[in-house]
């Protein structure tokens, strides 16, 4: 007979004594259980003791968290959080350097525990740490542990960052600005400043007065990728909180210096990739104001830009009387420039997006790449075969397209790492990207021998060329040009034909029948593949861990498919994690269901946030007896599909992820190609044989013509 659900069997350790094996009744008060354990070792004052986990983060167990204890868990009797906080506070204020160092080292470890943190903060512990930093008398390891403890305590959100003093900010900023400072101190100082900026509007202004982007860019030129990551994270925080006018001045220049981060053969870690992606998004968002600004047809300064485009293309030299001529005299030139409105081309820029951003791009091309601009305009304006490419209309539509592809104006997604290295190699990367793409558009137009009626078709092909090239992650604009040269119109047609062959050409009646017959076998193969991957296990990031000190946990299925094993890790593993290192487990028989997205318990409060949209799409939870959940956020869509499909297969339910359907179609197509390789013509027999019981054996009868 199984034990009652409220009873868990645990082992409790105490230094110098044999462990106690007890059956913990979860209905009894925790204080009563601790008193019983203390009596077993003849320890008095049970109220001064508490229970902690012996493995992993070694968190304190409270009445609220005791439900997480599983059978077989090893616990440890320890002094209570209040007593530990009081002792450590006394020790870090002692005069002995060695004693103070050991106390700060232990404090840095315990501060991650929310129960201990609450007690320490209630004793004015944060103020004590802040004064130690402000004094400027701590250096090396002692200062590093002090900053670690301070950051861990503040990260619990118990006290407001607004309470931080200006002298503390100056001291932390001083560590960042020093030319030679210990790496561990620099890392923690950058992380503290980032948290200040993100969590307090008033502190942003104070930090911005002490730290400049130029100083932070200096930290990107070191070889330590961790320091680079912290520095970019702080730059992103300052970028995000800066007023609109300050963003343009402080953050737009010097992006080429970021090549120190992305160049070379070093692999870019996940957190660094995310910070580069965030910086890329924030940089492109500087374009949003111009993208959403309509042109005022009555604004002479704006109209002068159009006059300048006409002058560069057709006059060659400055014409002092040009702006005084009547508009009717320019109608022909505006038509040759490819504007839709020949009389008043300013009207072409009144739609948003792309608004004035399109005009900015055109002017950049005309001034910086003048030869290219003149060649494109004159080449098309002199044609009389109706195949001219309208430069103005194309530039406006292309700008709109690029804004859509790069999601200008969108907030960065949490957990996304999709950055493009080439945008960090030029101070005017956006404008240069446009110049490359407008030349591509002109080239594709000629390859398609397009006319005005084909405009939308050409734009569709150009979008496909650009998105395919971007997916290859070119590291520079020159590499982008090479990728685009390989994606000419003929190659796009070939790729489309190849993709249609793998999709549409397998819809004839004989193929449909063959698909239906081999689908059960293929689906079973996919299920087995999913279960095999679950047995290998996957690493997941701890939810809510915003800072760079990433924390992980690992989950894998037992080889007999009966138990899910999981446990915390200090760092991301390089391979499989042995079952012995995973302290927690869930019997598969106890699993009630698997839920995804907004139905997950850990997504209830996050689903409304735009920046958590991607996290929402990667979230799933395992619900198991009695009323417990195991919450996941997959690192990517592939792992999400592997785990949700595999868990559904465990429960004997139908898999339904997009990846499953993709896998299924791919495998079925491959199988059919093998089976039909030598058949020139296939017809369906009048009476098709029944589906065999064994999917691996088939007795198809085909008629050959």
């Amino acid at each position: 007979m199984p034990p009652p659900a409220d009873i868990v069997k645990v082992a409790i350790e105490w230094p110098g004594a044999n462990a106690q094996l007890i059956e913990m009744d979860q209905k009894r008060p925790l204080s009563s259980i601790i008193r019983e354990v203390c009596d077993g070792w003849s320890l008095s004052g049970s109220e001064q003791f508490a229970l902690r986990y012996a493995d992993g983060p070694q968190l304190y167990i409270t009445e609220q968290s005791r439900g997480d204890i599983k059978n077989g868990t090893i616990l440890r009797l320890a002094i209570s959080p209040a007593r530990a906080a009081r002792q450590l506070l006394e020790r870090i204020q002692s005069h002995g350097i060695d004693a103070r160092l050991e106390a700060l080292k232990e404090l840095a470890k315990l501060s991650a525990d929310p129960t201990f943190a609450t007690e320490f903060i209630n004793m004015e512990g944060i103020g004590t740490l802040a004064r130690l930093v402000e004094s400027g008398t701590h250096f090396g390891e002692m200062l590093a542990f002090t900053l670690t403890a301070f950051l861990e305590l503040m990260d619990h959100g118990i006290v407001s960052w607004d309470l931080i003093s200006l002298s503390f900010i100056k001291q932390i900023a001083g560590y960042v600005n020093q030319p030679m400072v210990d790496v561990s101190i620099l890392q923690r100082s950058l992380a503290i400043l980032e948290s200040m900026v993100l969590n307090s509007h008033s502190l942003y202004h104070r930090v911005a007065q002490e730290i400049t982007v130029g100083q932070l860019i200096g930290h990107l030129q070191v070889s330590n990728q961790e320091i680079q990551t912290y520095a970019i994270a702080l730059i992103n925080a300052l970028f995000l909180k800066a007023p609109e006018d300050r963003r343009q001045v402080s953050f737009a220049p010097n992006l080429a210096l970021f090549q120190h981060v992305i160049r070379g053969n070093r692999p870019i870690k996940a957190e660094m990739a995310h910070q580069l992606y965030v910086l890329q998004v924030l940089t492109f968002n500087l374009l949003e104001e111009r993208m959403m600004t309509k042109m005022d047809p009555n604004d002479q300064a704006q109209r002068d830009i159009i006059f300048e485009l006409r002058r560069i293309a057709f006059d060659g030299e400055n014409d002092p009387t040009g702006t005084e001529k009547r508009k009717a005299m320019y109608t022909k030139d505006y038509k040759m420039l490819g504007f839709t409105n020949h009389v008043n081309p300013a009207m072409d820029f009144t739609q948003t997006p792309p608004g004035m951003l399109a005009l900015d791009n055109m002017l950049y091309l005309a001034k910086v790449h003048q030869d290219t601009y003149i060649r494109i305009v004159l080449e098309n304006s002199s044609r009389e075969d109706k195949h001219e490419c309208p430069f103005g209309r194309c530039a406006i539509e292309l700008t709109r397209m690029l804004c859509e592809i790069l999601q200008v104006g969108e907030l960065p997604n949490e957990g996304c790492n999709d950055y493009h290295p080439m945008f960090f190699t030029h101070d005017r990367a956006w404008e240069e990207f446009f110049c490359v793409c407008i030349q591509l558009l002109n080239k594709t137009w000629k390859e398609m021998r397009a006319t005005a009626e084909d405009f939308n078709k050409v734009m569709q092909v150009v979008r496909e060329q650009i998105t395919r090239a971007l997916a290859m992650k070119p590291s520079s604009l020159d590499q982008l040009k090479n990728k685009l040269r390989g994606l000419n119109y003929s190659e796009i047609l070939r790729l489309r034909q190849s993709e249609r062959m793998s999709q549409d050409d397998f819809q004839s009646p004989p193929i449909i029948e063959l698909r239906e017959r081999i689908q059960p076998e293929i689906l079973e193969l996919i299920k087995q593949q999913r279960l095999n991957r679950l047995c290998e296990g996957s690493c997941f990031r701890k939810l809510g861990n915003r800072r760079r000190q990433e924390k992980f946990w690992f989950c894998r299925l037992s080889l007999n498919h009966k138990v899910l094993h999981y446990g915390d890790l200090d760092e991301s593993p390089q391979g499989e994690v042995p079952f012995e290192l995973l302290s927690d487990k869930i019997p598969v028989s106890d699993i009630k269901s698997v839920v995804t997205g907004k139905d997950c318990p850990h997504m209830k409060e996050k689903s409304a946030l735009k920046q958590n949209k991607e996290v929402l799409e990667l979230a799933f939870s395992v619900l198991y007896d009695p009323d417990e959940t195991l919450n996941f956020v997959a690192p990517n869509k592939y792992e999400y599909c592997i785990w949700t499909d595999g868990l559904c297969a465990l429960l004997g339910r139908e898999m339904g992820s997009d990846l499953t359907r993709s896998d299924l179609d791919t495998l079925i197509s491959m199988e059919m190609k093998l089976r039909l390789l030598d058949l020139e013509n296939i017809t369906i027999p009048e009476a098709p044989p029944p589906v065999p019981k064994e999917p691996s054996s088939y007795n198809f009868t085909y008629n050959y013509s």
Side-chain angles (χ1 to χ4, degrees):
M1 183 176 179
D6 295 322
I7 302 296
V8 289
K9 297 181 178 180
V10 299
I12 302 179
E13 299 177 336
W14 175 255
N18 294 326
Q20 296 187 38
L21 303 178
I22 69 169
E23 293 186 353
M24 181 182 290
D25 186 349
Q26 295 287 44
K27 292 182 178 180
R28 290 178 57 193
L30 197 57
S31 58
S32 174
I33 297 173
I34 294 173
R35 186 184 308 113
E36 184 178 297
V37 172
C38 288
D39 291 343
W41 283 313
S42 302
L43 298 174
S44 59
S46 62
E47 66 278 359
Q48 297 293 318
F49 293 93
L51 293 177
R52 293 170 59 185
Y53 288 100
D55 301 318
Q58 301 181 13
L59 299 177
Y60 279 102
I61 295 169
T62 64
E63 290 289 355
Q64 292 72 32
S65 65
R66 62 186 296 181
D68 297 332
I69 302 174
K70 304 295 186 297
N71 279 322
T73 300
I74 300 176
L75 305 179
R76 179 175 298 157
L77 187 67
I79 60 174
S80 67
R83 184 179 173 188
R86 190 178 305 108
Q87 289 182 358
L88 285 176
L89 196 57
E90 293 172 354
R91 288 164 59 194
I92 63 176
Q93 297 179 85
S94 67
H95 297 291
I97 295 179
D98 292 340
R100 186 181 301 178
L101 177 61
E102 289 302 314
L104 288 169
K105 187 182 297 186
E106 188 175 349
L107 177 63
K109 182 179 179 181
L110 281 176
S111 294
D113 189 300
T115 308
F116 170 84
T118 302
E119 296 290 347
F120 190 81
I121 291 171
N122 289 339
M123 297 176 185
E124 303 297 330
I126 285 183
T128 301
L129 294 179
R131 287 190 291 273
L132 290 176
V133 174
E134 292 169 8
S135 69
T137 57
H138 284 57
F139 305 98
E141 266 193 319
M142 191 173 293
L143 178 58
F145 287 126
T146 303
L147 296 179
T148 301
F150 179 86
L151 187 57
E152 291 284 0
L153 292 167
M154 292 299 297
D155 200 49
H156 291 292
I158 299 173
V159 295
S160 172
W161 282 91
D162 288 320
L163 301 176
I164 302 302
S165 68
L166 182 58
S167 60
F168 181 86
I169 297 174
K170 287 181 176 293
Q171 192 68 38
I172 297 297
Y175 299 137
V176 174
N177 294 332
Q178 285 180 17
M180 297 294 293
V181 68
D182 185 82
V183 170
S184 59
I185 294 173
L186 179 57
Q187 286 180 348
R188 288 155 179 79
S189 298
L190 289 167
I192 289 173
L193 292 174
E194 180 200 1
S195 292
M196 287 181 184
V197 172
L198 292 176
N199 290 286
S200 172
H201 181 71
S202 61
L203 290 186
Y204 156 74
H205 294 286
R206 295 181 179 180
V207 173
Q209 291 173 355
E210 303 293 333
I211 298 289
T212 66
V213 175
Q215 291 167 324
L216 293 175
I217 287 178
H219 291 303
L220 301 181
Q221 301 179 45
V222 301
S223 59
N224 188 319
Q225 191 172 128
E226 295 298 322
I227 293 296
Q228 293 175 332
T229 304
Y230 281 88
I232 296 179
L234 179 52
I235 290 173
N236 286 337
L238 291 167
F239 201 155
L240 198 59
K241 294 292 184 176
E244 293 289 340
D245 56 344
R246 185 171 172 79
R247 289 182 188 178
Q248 296 286 352
V249 175
S250 301
F251 299 94
N254 298 321
L255 284 184
L257 291 177
F258 283 89
Q259 61 185 306
H260 290 285
V261 176
I262 60 177
R263 71 183 180 184
N265 297 321
R266 288 186 308 161
I268 299 294
K269 296 181 180 178
E271 184 57 36
M272 171 65 83
H274 173 67
Q275 293 301 335
L276 289 171
Y277 156 76
V278 172
L279 181 62
Q280 173 184 288
V281 172
L282 296 177
T283 304
F284 284 144
N285 285 355
L286 293 174
L287 306 169
E288 183 179 13
E289 182 181 359
R290 294 294 284 174
M291 180 183 76
M292 301 307 295
T293 299
K294 297 181 180 180
M295 186 172 185
D296 182 0
N298 298 317
D299 188 319
Q300 186 61 45
Q302 295 180 2
R303 292 167 60 196
D304 285 346
I305 299 176
I306 298 178
F307 294 153
E308 182 70 2
L309 290 174
R310 191 209 66 81
R311 184 196 66 77
I312 294 173
F314 302 116
D315 290 350
E317 297 179 358
N318 190 24
D319 182 3
T321 64
T323 57
E324 299 176 359
K325 295 180 180 179
R326 291 181 296 111
K327 289 190 296 183
M329 298 181 64
Y330 293 115
T331 299
K332 181 180 178 181
D333 288 349
Y334 291 148
K335 181 178 180 181
M336 288 193 294
L337 275 171
F339 289 112
T340 302
N341 192 319
H342 306 154
V343 177
N344 186 6
M347 299 302 296
D348 286 16
F349 301 95
T350 56
Q351 290 188 356
T352 57
M356 291 294 290
L357 184 59
L359 188 59
D360 295 341
N361 287 340
M362 295 165 70
L363 184 63
Y364 181 88
L365 174 68
K367 288 195 169 184
V368 179
H369 301 280
Q370 191 170 119
D371 291 343
T372 300
Y373 167 70
I374 293 174
R375 177 179 57 79
I376 292 175
V377 173
L378 296 184
E379 183 181 87
N380 288 284
S381 63
S382 61
R383 302 186 67 168
E384 297 179 356
D385 55 2
K386 305 299 181 183
H387 290 285
E388 65 274 7
C389 177
F391 169 74
R393 183 185 177 191
C394 287
I396 293 170
E397 187 58 35
L398 177 64
T399 302
R400 179 187 292 109
M401 179 197 297
L402 297 182
C403 289
E404 292 174 358
I405 292 173
L406 297 176
Q407 299 180 326
V408 175
E410 297 289 332
L411 290 174
N413 286 320
E414 184 180 332
C416 183
N417 300 336
D418 188 24
Y419 77 97
H420 297 282
M422 69 177 183
F423 291 124
F424 296 94
T425 60
H426 200 287
D427 290 341
R428 303 295 294 272
W430 164 264
E431 291 86 349
E432 290 293 324
F433 181 49
F434 168 83
C435 293
V436 171
C437 292
I438 193 67
Q439 294 178 73
L440 168 72
L441 196 161
N442 186 61
K443 175 174 173 286
T444 302
W445 186 284
K446 289 189 292 185
E447 290 174 350
M448 294 178 66
R449 293 194 54 78
T451 63
E453 290 75 17
D454 301 317
F455 184 85
N456 291 333
K457 294 180 181 178
V458 175
M459 297 308 297
Q460 290 173 4
V461 173
V462 171
R463 176 186 284 269
E464 187 171 346
Q465 290 172 312
I466 294 171
T467 52
R468 286 182 184 272
L470 288 177
M472 300 177 193
K473 300 295 182 186
S475 60
S476 66
L477 290 164
D478 287 337
Q479 277 199 17
L480 173 68
K481 294 175 185 177
N482 291 332
K483 303 293 184 187
L484 290 173
R485 274 195 287 269
L487 288 169
N488 55 33
Y489 180 52
S490 298
E491 178 64 11
I492 292 297
L493 290 179
R494 189 193 68 78
L495 291 171
R496 287 179 174 179
Q497 179 69 14
S498 175
E499 291 167 359
R500 278 197 296 267
M501 285 292 292
S502 63
Q503 298 172 8
D504 301 337
D505 287 3
F506 284 88
Q507 299 303 315
S508 61
I511 302 301
I512 292 174
E513 181 187 352
L514 183 56
R515 175 186 293 271
E516 291 174 351
R517 296 199 178 194
I518 65 177
Q519 180 164 330
E521 179 183 355
I522 301 298
L523 190 58
E524 182 61 29
L525 179 64
I526 293 175
K527 287 183 178 180
Q528 291 304 318
Q529 183 263 352
R530 296 293 194 261
L531 292 174
N532 290 340
R533 278 287 289 109
L534 262 62
C535 290
E536 295 174 7
S538 298
C539 180
F540 301 91
R541 193 176 65 176
K542 279 280 190 179
L543 187 65
N545 183 43
R546 181 190 52 77
R547 297 204 322 276
R548 307 289 81 72
Q549 297 98 330
E550 288 200 279
K551 299 177 182 177
F552 304 91
W553 66 287
F554 197 90
C555 186
R556 63 182 298 194
L557 179 67
S558 63
L559 299 181
N560 61 5
H561 298 177
K562 291 185 178 181
V563 179
L564 275 179
H565 295 264
Y566 65 97
D568 293 333
L569 301 175
D570 293 330
E571 57 184 17
S572 180
Q574 299 302 314
E576 287 188 9
V577 176
F579 290 108
E580 301 77 40
L581 298 181
L582 304 176
S583 57
D584 300 311
K585 57 185 178 181
I586 301 173
V588 171
S589 59
D590 288 350
I591 297 178
K592 294 180 178 180
S593 63
V594 178
V595 295
T596 60
K598 62 182 180 181
D599 295 327
C600 297
H602 59 311
M603 290 291 112
K604 297 293 186 183
E605 299 178 357
K606 292 178 174 287
S607 58
L609 298 178
K610 185 177 182 181
Q611 58 266 41
N612 285 318
K613 178 182 178 182
E614 185 161 332
V615 175
L616 189 67
E617 293 174 349
L618 298 176
F620 61 99
S621 297
V622 172
L623 310 183
Y624 61 98
D625 289 332
D627 291 307
E628 303 292 337
T629 63
L630 186 61
N631 298 319
F632 299 75
V633 174
N636 50 54
K637 189 66 175 178
Y638 178 78
E639 289 292 332
Y640 170 85
C641 295
I642 288 288
W643 276 85
T644 52
D645 283 351
L647 291 169
C648 287
L650 269 181
L651 300 178
R653 299 171 187 174
E654 182 180 356
M655 300 184 294
S657 73
D658 293 337
L659 190 59
T660 297
R661 295 292 160 241
S662 174
D663 287 352
L664 183 62
D665 290 341
T666 300
L667 287 171
I668 289 177
S669 297
M670 290 173 60
E671 180 75 6
M672 286 195 296
K673 287 175 184 177
L674 290 173
R675 297 189 183 197
L676 305 177
L677 190 61
D678 298 324
L679 303 183
E680 296 180 355
N681 191 15
I682 309 170
T683 58
I684 307 177
E686 293 183 0
V691 178
K693 293 182 180 179
E694 292 294 330
S696 58
S697 60
Y698 295 97
N699 296 310
F700 290 128
T701 302
Y702 293 111
N703 296 325
Y704 296 77
S705 61

